[in-house]
Amino acid sequence: MKLALFGATGQVATEVQRRAPADLTLEVIGRDRADFANPDQVRDVALALQVDAVLNAVAYTAVDKAEDETDLAQAVNGASVAALGDACASTGAALVHISTDYVFSGDGTKAWTPDDPTDPQGAYGRSKRAGELALARFGGAFATLRTSWVFSAHGNNFVKTMLRFGAERDQLRVVDDQFGGPTPAAAIADACLTLAHGLADGAPGGTYHFSGAPDVSWAHFAREIFAQSGLTPAVVDIPTSDYPTPAKRPLNSRLDCSSLEADFGIKRPDWRAGLADVLEDLRQQSA
């Protein structure tokens, strides 16, 4: 199979390149070729591709900055995704697109299903939902994969932040009333590759959820990071109201991933095992 990967340096894009099987012909398209701030450029590049499938791992993910950079977030997460979907529908390439739990309101305690009504509460979530809706309009063979709380040994993420602060401080205040499934970028990469193969072979697409198990709070996640890394700061539980941010954070990021397992055999990964792998990766990087 020939796969075009949009995105070269992000967490998932990095893992796709690391984990791509030997029999996969992978074409990596970075910002130098397709800047998602320019939807027309994205469309032109995608139209010229001769591939079986496309994986979009590009996103504007600065949740708080999106409140001030609404137009840029909409261009990257909305208009350029629409352009990519349009191009793939024209060329017949299957498309796998990564989205987010932020398309939901974040209320309640029940795990969100792919069919639940969306209600994004901030600019970032609205921009990601715009991209989802665009793909549904263009049709073609596509799958939108919503995920949450992504972490890896690359880029900026909660694990690396906790490791840095945990080495500097005796005590950390961490939110304990937001719940979700931490998700290793490596597992997302594997899921996306499986989806791409399936869609290219004629499997039905649609919208799916994928997150690590079990669901926990950020404070619980932090404690596990410290337990596995050997760091010993005290974790003090705080409510979201004690940690105000420009963009509203969802209290409930739980995702029902059962349809992905039923249709593609992809099970929720144990994020604790994924965390161990990431910590080992970081140790090797620093050796």
Side-chain angles (χ1 to χ4, degrees):
M1 185 180 75
K2 294 181 179 179
L3 174 69
L5 170 64
F6 282 81
T9 60
Q11 294 189 78
V12 175
T14 298
E15 290 295 341
V16 168
Q17 293 169 73
R18 295 177 71 183
R19 305 174 74 82
D23 61 350
L24 178 70
T25 301
L26 183 64
E27 181 174 356
V28 180
I29 301 170
R31 186 181 295 179
D32 57 330
R33 286 181 60 189
D35 186 347
F36 271 58
N38 185 340
D40 290 338
Q41 185 182 57
V42 172
R43 181 184 289 105
D44 290 344
V45 171
L47 284 171
L49 294 172
Q50 295 182 341
V51 295
D52 302 300
V54 171
L55 168 55
N56 179 32
V58 175
Y60 180 107
T61 58
V63 175
D64 290 326
K65 287 180 66 177
E67 297 299 316
D68 296 320
E69 297 181 346
T70 302
D71 290 345
L72 179 58
Q74 281 289 340
V76 174
N77 295 339
S80 282
V81 173
L84 186 59
D86 185 22
C88 289
S90 297
T91 64
L95 173 61
V96 178
H97 171 65
I98 302 170
S99 194
T100 175
D101 59 288
Y102 274 75
V103 299
F104 295 111
S105 68
D107 296 334
T109 58
K110 175 180 171 291
W112 300 101
T113 71
D115 294 329
D116 280 335
T118 56
D119 184 18
Q121 299 295 297
Y124 167 69
R126 288 191 293 271
S127 69
K128 293 295 288 184
R129 182 55 178 154
E132 292 184 0
L133 292 171
L135 293 187
R137 286 196 300 270
F138 286 121
F142 80 94
T144 293
L145 188 68
R146 294 178 182 144
T147 190
S148 65
W149 297 21
V150 182
F151 69 92
S152 70
H154 327 288
N156 299 316
N157 57 71
F158 184 77
V159 171
K160 294 179 73 175
T161 298
M162 288 298 101
L163 291 174
R164 184 174 70 255
F165 287 163
E168 299 170 350
R169 304 177 185 179
D170 295 328
Q171 178 178 290
L172 291 173
R173 292 158 51 84
V174 184
V175 170
D176 193 43
D177 59 356
Q178 297 174 22
F179 289 85
T183 316
I188 300 172
D190 288 344
C192 287
L193 290 169
T194 298
L195 284 170
H197 273 285
L199 293 176
D201 289 340
T207 300
Y208 293 95
H209 289 172
F210 183 65
S211 64
D215 294 320
V216 292
S217 71
W218 288 112
H220 184 117
F221 189 15
R223 289 189 175 92
E224 183 65 21
I225 293 167
F226 298 141
Q228 289 199 24
S229 66
L231 296 173
T232 58
V235 175
V236 178
D237 298 349
I238 64 170
T240 296
S241 58
D242 282 1
Y243 189 72
T245 55
K248 181 181 178 182
R249 288 340 192 238
L251 297 181
N252 178 22
S253 293
R254 302 172 182 88
L255 297 176
D256 183 329
C257 307
S258 57
S259 62
L260 185 65
E261 181 175 358
D263 290 356
F264 289 91
I266 301 173
K267 297 182 179 181
R268 295 182 69 182
D270 186 329
W271 61 263
R272 295 163 296 192
L275 174 61
D277 291 339
V278 166
L279 293 175
E280 177 58 28
D281 197 349
L282 289 169
R283 280 190 285 268
Q284 292 181 6
Q285 288 181 24
S286 62

